[in-house]
Each structure stands twice: as C-alpha cells, then as structure tokens.
Amino acid sequence: MKMTEIKHHLNDQLLIGYSAGSLPEAFSLIVATHISLCDECRARLAEFDAVGGQVMMQSQTAEMSEDGLAETLARIAGGAQAPAPTARRSGVFPRPLQGYVQGDVEAVKWKRVGGGVRQMMLSTDGQATARLLYIPAGVAVPDHGHRGTELTLVLQGAFEDETDHFGRGDIEIADEDLNHQPVAAHGADCICLAVTDAPLRFSGIIPRIAQRFMQI
Ligand code: ZN
Ligand code: ZN
C-alpha cells in the first residue's frame, strides 16, 4: 500500500502546535503517529520546523535585515527536500505509539466496553485523553457530538461516518459542529487511536451510562 492513499491529513494548526511543542501529550502522540505513516504531513512539519527554528535564531540576532529574512525564507523554500523514506515495518502500530503500548497490537490490554467494542486508555498528561479503540467489522460506535476536539486515526481496517470513509493512516478531525456515528467498515476489524480534549456528548441514555464506564 502506498502512503499517498492517505487522504485525511493533519491541519496546519496541529502541525504548528506540534512543531512548537505546545500540544497536550495525547495530541502530540496522535500527530507523531500520523506523521510516521504520512510523507505529506512529515514534509509540511519539516517546513514549519525550519521556519520556527529560523525565527528563533533571528529573534536572537539583532542586526537581521528584512533582506536577510527574505533570503532565509527563499533558502528554506528552495532547500525543501523530499523526506527520507520511512523504513518499512511490518507492525500495525507506528513506533511513537508502540512506546505507549510497550509493543505492537498483541501487547494491548483491551477492556470490553460493550457491543463488542474494546478500548485501552493510554497514560498521558491530564490535558487530554488518548485511547486505542477496537471496533469489530460492521459495528457502530454510539452516535455522539463533541464539546472540544476529537481526533481519530485509523491504524487497521476502516470506518465510515456521515462525512466520509477513513482508512489506515487517515485522521478525522471532529469538533463542536460535527455529530456523527462512526461505523467500522466490513472486511476487517477497525483499530483506531482516538484523542479528545473534552468529554464527548452522547445523544441516547444508554450511551450516556456507557460513557461512565468508557471514561469518555
Ligand atoms: Zn498526512
Ligand atoms: Zn466523534
């Protein structure tokens, strides 16, 4: 499978936040995991890193002229290189995630949360939560809205919701405006990494009760 098949990417806000080191740990984890699967976002991150580094250096150099800045930016643009190809690994989880699970998918300590869905909470700082979700093929996650931002990265299989189809490497960025019901596609069980910075809003009473058990 070629990496260019990824069609849902990180936005600039997330890449800049990651480059600046200002994201909650859970968000940094999902950005790093997507970047290990996605050449396109890795290249965009390298540009933000380069510009950020130049800006920091220049702010320490008083005599930097406007011409100098233009030259620097031109050099960055001209010098942008294709990122080094990532080593092919056979695992399901990219390396940043393996650090949190202490292994690949077989090391996950799943907990059942109902309807065949399983999850494992990952330990990150308290500003946001990260979890792995296992959704059997054809199974739906309860319909819900969002109070803050929810990012969902597909690691195995695929899911669909009202907006589109998401396959391995695709990331869905959901906010207050989106109400959706993700359904795992037929064919393979779906494994996702999901992070949220606020609890989800479920519409039905049963999912609200389940929410307590799922800690979401
Ligand atoms: Zn991407
Ligand atoms: Zn959602």
Side-chain angles (χ1 to χ4, degrees), residues 64-73:
M64 190 74 193
S65 68
E66 275 182 42
D67 284 354
L69 178 60
E71 274 168 34
T72 304
L73 291 173

Side-chain angles (χ1 to χ4, degrees), residues 95-116:
R95 192 173 297 162
L97 185 54
Q98 293 208 5
Y100 281 80
V101 178
Q102 286 164 5
D104 203 2
V105 67
E106 68 281 348
V108 179
K109 296 179 181 71
W110 295 111
K111 287 209 169 86
R112 290 166 197 281
V113 292

Side-chain angles (χ1 to χ4, degrees), residues 27-57:
F27 282 66
S28 290
L29 169 62
I30 202 166
V31 169
T33 305
H34 176 82
I35 280 168
S36 350
L37 296 168
C38 180
D39 291 338
E40 190 180 317
C41 287
R42 193 176 326 110
R44 282 163 61 215
L45 176 67
E47 286 170 30
F48 287 127
D49 282 347
V51 172
Q54 292 293 340
V55 168
M56 277 167 63
M57 276 170 61

Side-chain angles (χ1 to χ4, degrees), residues 144-146 150 152 161 172 174 178 180 182 200:
H144 61 274
H146 310 90
E150 175 195 64
T152 309
D161 67 8
E172 180 174 43
L178 179 71
H180 67 161
L200 306 181

Side-chain angles (χ1 to χ4, degrees), residues 195-213:
V195 309
T196 51
D197 60 1
L200 306 181
R201 277 193 322 245
F202 285 95
S203 357
I205 183 82
I206 304 277
R208 271 207 297 275
I209 292 167
Q211 190 170 11
R212 290 206 203 135
F213 296 99

Side-chain angles (χ1 to χ4, degrees), residues 16-181:
I16 291 168
Y18 182 80
S19 179
S22 62
L23 297 180
E25 186 181 355
F27 282 66
S28 290
L29 169 62
I30 202 166
V31 169
T33 305
H34 176 82
I35 280 168
S36 350
L37 296 168
C38 180
D39 291 338
E40 190 180 317
C41 287
R42 193 176 326 110
R44 282 163 61 215
L45 176 67
E47 286 170 30
F48 287 127
D49 282 347
V51 172
Q54 292 293 340
V55 168
M56 277 167 63
M57 276 170 61
Q58 279 156 16
S59 65
Q60 292 163 358
T61 314
E63 72 274 23
M64 190 74 193
S65 68
E66 275 182 42
D67 284 354
L69 178 60
E71 274 168 34
T72 304
L73 291 173
R75 232 183 306 131
I76 294 166
Q81 290 169 358
T86 37
R88 295 279 156 194
R89 282 175 232 110
S90 51
V92 173
F93 296 162
R95 192 173 297 162
L97 185 54
Q98 293 208 5
Y100 281 80
V101 178
Q102 286 164 5
D104 203 2
V105 67
E106 68 281 348
V108 179
K109 296 179 181 71
W110 295 111
K111 287 209 169 86
R112 290 166 197 281
V113 292
V117 178
R118 290 182 264 165
Q119 75 169 12
M120 178 187 177
M121 300 297 298
L122 303 179
S123 171
T124 59
D125 71 41
Q127 298 178 69
T129 60
R131 83 196 61 231
L132 285 164
L133 276 171
Y134 183 101
I135 310 160
V139 166
V141 168
D143 181 24
H144 61 274
H146 310 90
R147 290 195 181 87
T149 301
E150 175 195 64
L151 307 178
T152 309
L153 172 65
V154 178
L155 300 162
Q156 176 188 292
F159 74 84
E160 275 149 25
D161 67 8
E162 291 79 348
T163 68
D164 210 344
H165 174 96
F166 298 83
R168 174 163 163 91
D170 281 328
I171 189 160
E172 180 174 43
I173 301 174
D175 61 18
E176 286 92 341
D177 299 330
L178 179 71
N179 237 304
H180 67 161
Q181 180 162 36

